């Protein structure tokens, strides 16, 4: 059974700081790993998807890396802005025939102080 | 294409009542998922459809829960005899693609409060 853990649970940083969010997973036989953003009371917005064969993906100020052997992924946010304040969730699905469900971590709640 | 939509956005009900939620996926997506999210936690998988076939159900989906996708388009999730523990955000997602290229796109969710 896949278990996904995110550390820290909450993070507060001043505007402009670079930061790293961590995600670890127990089963390395994954199809891919996704990072999502969730604003309070809202649904999830997909940020980045890293395929199992990839090491990293970049979109704007966001960079996500994947190390399957160690069961870790990181989301790097450069030059943080108050608009980045949200909960960030990572999720993976495992290479199990017929199983496509994502297993989520509990998220990191980020607050960027102006 | 306006993304995944869910209705209603909010539902308040009394314990013991039945409720039904609707999800309209992105039109070309053949897979549809239901998740449940409680405060401070990540979403938990409930069930998954490929076209009209329900292919996977979580042990979280008790006998009081039923989901349908009759024509392979929209889906409904019904909860019978609601309990206070059913209070949560119910999220729907849809996807296309295969294997490691599959990206799930989420709707805004339906927030349920059982009094």
């Amino acid at each position: 059974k896949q278990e996904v853990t995110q550390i820290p649970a909450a993070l507060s940083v001043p505007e402009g700081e670079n930061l790293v969010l961590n995600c670890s997973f127990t089963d390395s036989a994954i199809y891919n790993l996704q990072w999502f953003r969730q604003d309070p009371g809202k649904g999830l917005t997909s940020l980045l998807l890293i395929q199992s064969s990839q090491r990293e993906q970049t979109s704007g100020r966001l960079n996500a890396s994947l190390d399957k052997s160690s069961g870790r992924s990181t989301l790097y946010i450069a030059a943080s802005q108050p608009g980045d304040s949200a909960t960030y969730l990572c999720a993976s699905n495992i290479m199990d025939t017929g199983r496509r469900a994502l297993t989520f971590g509990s998220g990191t709640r980020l607050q960027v102080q102006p | 294409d306006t993304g995944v939509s869910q209705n209603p956005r909010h539902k308040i009900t009394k314990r013991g009542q039945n409720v039904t939620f609707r999800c309209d996926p992105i039109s070309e997506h053949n897979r549809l998922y239901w998740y449940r999210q409680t405060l401070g936690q990540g979403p938990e998988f409930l069930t998954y459809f490929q076209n009209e076939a329900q292919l996977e159900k979580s042990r979280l989906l008790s006998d009081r829960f039923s989901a349908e996708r009759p024509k392979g388009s929209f889906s409904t999730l019904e909860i019978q005899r609601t309990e206070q523990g059913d209070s949560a955000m119910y999220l729907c997602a849809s996807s296309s693609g295969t294997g490691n290229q599959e990206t799930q796109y989420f709707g805004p969710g339906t927030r349920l409060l059982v009094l």
Side-chain angles (χ1 to χ4, degrees):
Chain A
K1 177 176 180 281
Q2 179 74 291
E3 293 181 7
V4 179
T5 304
Q6 291 189 247
I7 295 173
L11 183 63
S12 181
V13 300
E15 182 177 3
E17 197 161 292
N18 301 327
L19 58 100
V20 174
L21 307 180
N22 296 293
C23 172
S24 61
F25 47 93
T26 54
D27 190 335
S28 61
I30 61 172
Y31 269 127
N32 56 48
L33 188 132
Q34 272 186 269
W35 282 92
F36 294 88
R37 168 186 172 136
Q38 186 173 33
D39 293 290
K42 306 291 186 182
L44 280 66
T45 300
S46 180
L47 297 174
L48 290 165
L49 179 143
I50 312 176
Q51 297 176 21
S52 59
S53 58
Q54 297 174 327
R55 296 282 293 183
E56 65 179 341
Q57 281 288 323
T58 298
S59 175
R61 294 183 293 108
L62 304 180
N63 175 277
S65 67
L66 175 63
D67 183 345
K68 284 200 324 178
S69 61
S70 66
R72 294 179 187 275
S73 176
T74 60
L75 179 67
Y76 174 83
I77 303 177
S80 58
Q81 303 171 357
D84 294 331
S85 298
T87 296
Y88 291 81
L89 295 149
C90 69
S92 71
N93 53 2
I94 60 173
M95 289 181 178
D96 187 354
T97 301
R99 297 210 66 240
R100 293 187 174 276
L102 288 173
T103 300
F104 284 83
S106 295
T108 294
R109 191 171 64 254
L110 172 67
Q111 187 167 12
V112 181
Q113 307 283 359
Chain B
D1 176 14
T2 57
V4 179
S5 62
Q6 293 186 246
N7 288 288
R9 295 292 309 278
H10 303 273
K11 179 70 176 180
I12 300 174
T13 191
K14 293 182 179 179
R15 189 177 55 182
Q17 298 295 305
N18 299 343
V19 295
T20 299
F21 309 142
R22 175 176 170 132
C23 171
D24 287 89
I26 293 171
S27 58
E28 65 268 25
H29 286 180
N30 60 352
R31 299 192 192 94
L32 188 147
Y33 302 80
W34 286 98
Y35 293 83
R36 181 173 70 185
Q37 185 179 26
T38 53
L39 201 61
Q41 300 297 314
E44 295 178 291
F45 169 75
L46 292 177
T47 190
Y48 145 63
F49 291 85
Q50 179 148 328
N51 300 314
E52 66 274 11
Q54 189 173 19
L55 296 186
E56 188 180 352
K57 292 195 292 186
S58 162
R59 57 179 171 77
L60 294 176
L61 211 67
S62 75
D63 291 346
R64 297 184 297 105
F65 288 70
S66 63
E68 295 182 344
R69 194 183 184 198
K71 297 182 180 179
S73 56
F74 73 91
S75 176
T76 57
L77 177 68
E78 180 182 17
I79 309 174
Q80 296 181 328
R81 305 182 303 282
T82 52
E83 302 173 356
Q84 288 183 326
D86 297 330
S87 296
M89 173 81 90
Y90 289 84
L91 293 163
C92 175
S94 70
S95 72
S96 61
T98 57
N100 58 8
Q101 297 179 7
E102 179 180 358
T103 300
Q104 294 187 21
Y105 296 91
F106 283 77
T110 295
R111 183 171 294 282
L112 173 66
L113 178 60
V114 181
L115 301 176

